């Protein structure tokens, strides 16, 4: 007795069975199209001036404001896990902040001190990146200096960025992250570096940095003094073509790498930028993305580890060759053990 099946152009149904390639973990690993590697992960880290022990952040469970000593240890741990880079943010004492962000250009400011600390600890075994922006250092919390009417003065800010570029390079940064979203910031930083003979220092342009609600927990992490918003210089979440215009400008000004921030709400932008450029592309899984997963997991609503890996894989799949994530060291350790790779 024969059994009759509906036929299709592909033969007896179901002759084509995609499930054959999902039958067990070994098969799924073999045919996986997107893989994470520890070297693609970048650890953002905060170091606070004048603290005697790491300060936990209420809005970012598991993340701290480091002391200088604990930052050194975190850098060593990242190296041991195979993490590709660390991005440093300095948090000066409140009394030292001023209208022009003086701690950001003081050779003895906390960020510059931290850069020297980390480079002395890990040398070239870990790429050391620094945040080239004034927001952590100003008493008003904006990413630039203000004019007489309280607006961010783009060109006056560029002068401060040039000085920041020089002191951060002198302190040992391998890469400068131009995160302030001022027009012309990449070109000014490149000229400042070249002017002191530091052609070896790279620039990671924050090409598409959106005015996002997902930065909220970061404000606690850097003890931000911000009042108001940054909508006059960060990108409108509604705009996509604008990101490609920013990309063209950053590349023309000498960006070595480009970034999309935040990551998950802007995967479409990430894909478009990755398709448009031949320089390395990064994405920043920002504080709000981190905190949402941690909060949902703490309430038992999601599987924390699987959610972390799924979000990171989605960012990688959308075109990021590098991902800034607060889980960088932890995930690198998982990948090394083969726990969730």
């Amino acid at each position: 007795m024969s059994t009759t099946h509906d036929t299709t152009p592909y033969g007896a149904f179901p002759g084509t069975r995609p499930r054959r390639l999902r039958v067990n973990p070994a098969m799924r690993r073999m045919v996986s199209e997107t893989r994470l590697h520890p070297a693609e992960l970048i650890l953002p880290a905060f170091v606070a001036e004048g603290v005697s022990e790491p300060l936990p952040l209420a809005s970012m469970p598991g993340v701290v404001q480091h002391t200088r000593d604990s930052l050194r240890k975190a850098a060593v741990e990242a190296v041991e896990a195979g993490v590709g880079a660390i991005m440093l943010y300095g948090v000066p004492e409140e009394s030292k902040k001023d209208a022009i962000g003086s701690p950001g250009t003081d050779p003895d400011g906390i960020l510059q001190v931290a850069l020297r600390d980390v480079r002395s600890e890990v040398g070239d075994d870990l790429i050391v990146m620094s945040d080239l922006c004034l927001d952590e250092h100003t008493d008003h919390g904006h990413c630039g200096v203000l004019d007489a009417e309280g607006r961010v003065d783009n060109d006056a800010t560029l002068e401060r960025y040039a000085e920041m570029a020089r002191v951060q390079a002198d302190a040992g940064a391998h890469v400068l992250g131009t995160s302030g979203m001022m027009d012309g910031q990449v070109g000014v930083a490149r000229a400042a570096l070249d002017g002191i003979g530091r052609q070896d220092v790279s620039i990671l342009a924050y090409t598409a940095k959106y005015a996002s609600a997902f930065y909220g927990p970061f404000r606690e992490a850097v003890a931000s003094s911000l009042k108001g918003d940054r909508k006059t210089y960060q990108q409108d979440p509604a705009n996509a073509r604008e990101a490609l215009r920013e990309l063209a400008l950053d590349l023309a000004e000498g960006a070595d790498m480009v970034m999309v921030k935040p990551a998950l709400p802007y995967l479409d932008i990430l894909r478009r930028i990755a398709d448009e450029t031949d320089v390395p592309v990064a994405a920043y899984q920002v504080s709000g993305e981190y905190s949402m997963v941690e909060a949902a997991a703490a309430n038992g609503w999601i599987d924390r580890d699987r959610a972390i890996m799924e979000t990171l894989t989605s960012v990688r799949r959308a075109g990021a060759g590098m991902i800034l994530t607060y889980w960088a060291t932890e995930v690198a350790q998982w990948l090394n053990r083969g726990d969730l790779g």
Side-chain angles (χ1 to χ4, degrees):
M1 179 183 295
S2 62
T3 302
T4 301
H5 297 282
D6 292 337
T7 60
T8 71
Y10 307 104
F13 181 83
T16 301
R17 295 179 183 266
R19 287 183 57 190
R20 292 188 186 113
L21 302 183
R22 305 171 194 151
V23 293
N24 57 44
M27 179 66 80
R28 293 192 294 273
R29 284 195 301 270
M30 185 178 73
V31 301
S32 178
E33 299 174 25
T34 305
R35 302 179 192 274
L36 293 172
H37 189 280
E40 299 164 348
L41 304 178
I42 299 169
L43 176 67
F46 310 102
V47 57
E49 187 173 26
V51 299
S52 58
E53 59 185 25
L55 302 178
L57 300 173
S59 59
M60 298 179 70
V63 178
V64 301
Q65 286 182 346
H66 283 287
T67 66
R68 290 174 61 186
D69 285 342
S70 69
L71 178 64
R72 286 175 179 266
K73 293 175 182 176
V76 170
E77 186 179 23
V79 170
E80 292 172 345
V83 169
I86 189 169
M87 173 70 80
L88 299 185
Y89 297 87
V91 184
E93 292 179 302
E94 195 68 28
S95 62
K96 295 185 179 179
K97 296 181 181 181
D98 60 22
I100 63 170
S102 294
T105 51
D106 181 354
D108 294 320
I110 183 59
L111 179 54
Q112 287 67 252
V113 169
L115 285 166
R116 291 194 292 270
D117 285 345
V118 173
R119 280 301 303 274
S120 68
E121 191 72 34
V122 301
D124 293 332
D125 292 338
L126 182 70
I127 294 300
V128 180
M129 301 180 169
S130 60
D131 181 49
L132 200 163
C133 193
L134 287 169
D135 60 324
E136 300 102 302
H137 309 287
T138 56
D139 56 11
H140 48 72
H142 276 287
C143 297
V145 297
L146 306 181
D147 64 17
E149 298 182 14
R151 300 169 301 191
V152 175
D153 186 326
N154 190 96
D155 295 1
T157 298
L158 294 182
E159 295 180 18
R160 300 288 294 133
Y161 284 0
E163 190 174 353
M164 290 184 80
R166 290 188 286 266
V167 298
Q168 290 179 6
D170 285 343
H174 293 105
V175 178
L176 307 185
T178 53
S179 66
M181 288 302 288
M182 296 296 121
D183 294 340
Q185 63 186 8
V186 173
V188 164
R190 185 72 267 160
L193 292 169
D194 292 352
I196 60 170
R198 295 308 306 270
Q199 291 87 353
D200 58 321
V201 175
S202 302
I203 292 177
L204 169 59
Y206 283 55
T207 291
K209 182 178 181 182
Y210 284 86
S212 173
F214 290 93
Y215 302 146
F218 181 91
R219 307 277 164 80
E220 178 193 356
V222 297
S224 174
S225 305
L226 180 66
K227 296 179 178 62
D229 59 52
R230 298 182 173 129
K231 294 180 180 179
T232 64
Y233 46 103
Q234 293 178 352
Q235 283 185 244
D236 184 343
N239 292 350
R241 289 193 303 271
E242 182 180 40
L244 300 182
R245 186 183 187 197
E246 293 279 2
L247 173 65
L249 290 167
D250 284 348
L251 294 176
E253 291 174 24
D256 300 290
M257 299 170 274
V258 297
M259 174 130 76
V260 175
K261 180 180 181 182
L264 284 179
Y266 298 93
L267 293 180
D268 60 320
I269 306 300
L270 176 58
R271 180 73 268 163
R272 291 181 71 169
I273 284 182
D275 288 343
E276 287 285 331
T277 185
D278 57 3
V279 303
V281 177
Y284 198 143
Q285 188 178 55
V286 300
S287 59
E289 298 173 63
Y290 173 92
S291 296
M292 286 193 302
V293 171
E294 292 288 352
N299 280 282
W301 298 334
I302 61 173
D303 181 318
R304 174 185 182 271
D305 295 358
R306 287 184 60 199
I308 290 170
M309 291 299 291
E310 187 173 342
T311 58
L312 289 171
T313 300
S314 74
V315 176
R316 183 74 179 85
R317 189 183 65 240
M322 303 169 290
I323 306 173
L324 285 85
T325 175
Y326 299 97
W327 291 303
T329 301
E330 182 179 9
V331 169
Q333 291 167 343
W334 294 347
L335 293 172
N336 291 332
R337 293 193 301 263
D339 291 354
L340 295 170

